[in-house]
Amino acid sequence: MEKHPDVPNEIRELLDPSRFREECDESMKMAMEEGSVLRELNGEAPAEDDKMMSFEDFIFGQLEEQGYNVELIKKELDSISDPTARNELFEEHARTAVKGLPPISEEVQRKGKLERGKRLLREAIQLYWKVPQKDKETVAGYTLDSAHEDLTEEDRARMQPNLTEKGLSAHREISQKFEAQRKKLEAQGIDTSNIASDVFAVNQQEPRKPTRDVEKSPLDALHKSLNATTMTIGKVELPLEYPTGYVNEVLHTRASASFFDLHNLKVLALTGEDREGFVQLFIPGNLSKYPALSMHCGAFLMDFGGIGGLCTVIPTPTMTLFIVEDHQFEYIFPRMASFAEKYRETNIDVKVDVLDVAMIALQGPKAASVLQRHVDGKLSKLRWRYGQQMNFEGDKSLILRFGYTGEDGFEMLVKRSRVTRIASLLLGNFEVLPAGHLARETLRVEAGYPQYGCELQPNVSLLDATMPWTYDVQRAMADETTTKTSVHVTGTRRYYPFIGQEGMQLQLQNGANHVRVGLITEDLVVPEDRVFTKTGVEVGWVGASQYSPTIKAHIATAFIKRELARPGNTVMVGEPQPYVTLEELRYSAAESEKGNPKKLRVFAKTCTLPFVPRKLVLRPEF
């Protein structure tokens, strides 16, 4: 059975490996074109004037050595006006010449295959960002198989970015910087000697293998006692909404404070002297910009440069925390663990474990005043995307001023065994109500934050998603030898490759094809469908759609071609159809909600993001 039956023919023709073998094997051709390799094969010393010869000159030389009349052959070839016929005749002479060659060494063949794989991968990346969105997934699988054909596992690994000694030394400098920060905090009377490492129990067992079983939240009994409606998110059962309904939960979060269970987030702990350099193999950002206990909201990329998932990286003096969603955990954790195991064999000091922690959140304008009643540290000194270890009613916790709702709020990493007690204490405050996943999703869309699996997919780039905070342009465009003086780190800041860098460079050179914008309509739900102009020209697609209780309108985030992304443009969402009345559209929407598979066509206005202004504490109080 064919492995990729749905690959378009033009893609097959462009990337079919056989096109590189029409004259002879790719590795053999490479060896024949390279004069020094050729001499080595024949057991001769390389000639100064023969470092490179053309393929035709080489063939004619071989024929002459075998006793053929080369001048006659050249005249015969020159007399043929049809290029195709001339090439066919030359190929016959080339086959004759090649038969007399000594065997190509295994090392030369391996080198040729590796170079061919790299070239195919570059061509594949360029093609990936040119084809329509619907073809990207198909192209990715087929072209990677073509690039990896005939390569050993070792050579495939050589095609991936690797840690370099320059990069490691730079990040060892960062580790020293974190140690200096820790000492400075201790001089101010802040205990950081055991930060993170003694707050949480690191799982020192074998790395947990992904499972298909649904996982219960440690707060499952609490959710049931509150009569929550639950659903499986990723592979974790979490509350969808409570009896008050998600609309009231959204409005309460905007006005007061709401409690969220974030058990769908998994926390990895990277330890070892080289952990910072190791992390940067997976993200296009630059951690040297971030001090200890600050949060880098980043993304990890696929080989082609498309988005493979979102992550939050938190460097601490003793370890680096790497937070991902549960459904991305099954992809990123085995990959990071296998990379770490490979590097440990080369004396690179890094280890990846799963932290045995629970994550919860308190979001809303009154979140700070509520949480301050229970912790010993001053929350007013924390600004957005920074954290601090504090005692929560006697339980050590890592408090992060962060959230995905657009409101001021906090996310907390606490021991699993103590999370029920902490959650009960927070819910005991009259300002706090529980909120489910549906409310959090609505708040997220209102705040204009993207989410992997909704707006973000492997066929979307970070430039399309308008997420400049996730990558460092200088690092993305640099090579391994680049150094640059930095104001963030003493000395120099060194750049080295990351997974998906070639695709990222191509995107930065060519610019984004689409822009992430908002769509808004008062009457009808915006379907998650393709976007067209009023005349029926396809210009993009919808990533996520929700009803906004805050602004009382149907909203959506969409990716639209840059030239049509200005605020106030009218676009059509859904397949172009014969004109229908507004009443018919409303009827179709009602039928769609009942499960009838009827196509909708909705007109919406473009707008800038966010839909609801974000209220973040960017400057701490002292």
Side-chain angles (χ1 to χ4, degrees), residues 286-481:
N286 197 328
L287 287 184
S288 64
K289 294 180 178 180
Y290 297 89
L293 286 179
S294 64
M295 305 175 69
H296 168 62
C297 301
F300 48 90
L301 304 181
M302 309 297 283
D303 293 319
F304 283 80
I307 301 174
L310 296 180
C311 62
T312 302
V313 183
I314 308 173
T316 80
T318 54
M319 66 175 70
T320 297
L321 305 181
F322 196 91
I323 304 175
V324 295
E325 290 213 14
D326 181 73
H327 61 280
Q328 301 164 33
F329 170 80
E330 292 198 354
Y331 165 78
I332 192 65
F333 175 55
R335 193 169 194 184
M336 292 184 83
S338 64
F339 268 66
E341 184 177 357
K342 179 184 74 171
Y343 285 130
R344 281 199 300 274
E345 295 174 359
T346 58
N347 296 321
I348 292 176
D349 184 17
V350 64
K351 193 172 188 297
V352 183
D353 292 294
V354 182
L355 279 185
D356 188 24
V357 299
M359 281 193 70
I360 55 178
L362 191 66
Q363 299 286 307
K366 297 183 180 179
S369 60
V370 170
L371 186 58
Q372 189 63 76
R373 300 168 191 164
H374 302 277
V375 297
D376 58 353
K378 286 189 176 182
L379 296 176
S380 59
K381 292 186 177 182
L382 273 184
R383 64 185 172 101
W384 186 248
R385 297 203 309 189
Y386 277 76
Q388 186 177 330
Q389 176 185 317
M390 297 183 185
N391 284 319
F392 186 105
E393 300 279 2
D395 290 317
K396 289 182 179 179
S397 306
L398 185 59
I399 309 294
L400 306 167
R401 195 156 205 161
F402 186 67
Y404 233 48
T405 64
E407 295 290 335
D408 182 28
F410 301 86
E411 293 184 354
M412 291 167 274
L413 278 70
V414 300
K415 292 180 180 179
R416 288 173 63 94
S417 59
R418 309 296 290 171
V419 66
T420 302
R421 172 180 177 269
I422 292 173
S424 300
L425 288 170
L426 289 174
L427 289 168
N429 293 276
F430 70 92
E431 300 99 329
V432 181
L433 288 178
H437 181 75
L438 190 53
R440 187 169 181 263
E441 271 294 286
T442 303
L443 291 161
R444 175 189 73 78
V445 177
E446 287 183 343
Y449 289 127
Q451 181 75 18
Y452 187 77
C454 297
E455 295 94 334
L456 307 182
Q457 302 286 350
N459 59 4
V460 176
S461 74
L462 290 175
L463 271 72
D464 291 334
T466 322
M467 299 171 66
W469 60 87
T470 59
Y471 58 88
D472 185 289
V473 176
Q474 291 176 317
R475 181 178 174 224
M477 297 304 294
D479 57 31
E480 294 183 20
T481 62

Side-chain angles (χ1 to χ4, degrees), residues 83-140:
T84 303
R86 184 189 184 285
N87 288 340
E88 288 177 356
L89 179 59
F90 178 77
E91 284 177 13
E92 291 182 15
H93 291 301
R95 292 190 190 97
T96 303
V98 168
K99 288 178 183 178
L101 279 175
I104 304 295
S105 68
E106 290 186 6
E107 182 60 31
V108 171
Q109 290 190 46
R110 178 183 177 186
K111 181 181 177 183
K113 290 176 181 178
L114 184 59
E115 291 301 317
R116 169 185 164 274
K118 290 180 178 178
R119 184 171 65 252
L120 271 174
L121 188 58
R122 284 193 295 270
E123 290 186 9
I125 291 170
Q126 292 175 356
L127 178 68
Y128 184 83
W129 294 108
K130 290 179 182 177
V131 298
Q133 295 292 126
K134 59 184 178 65
D135 291 332
K136 279 184 167 50
E137 185 176 352
T138 299
V139 170

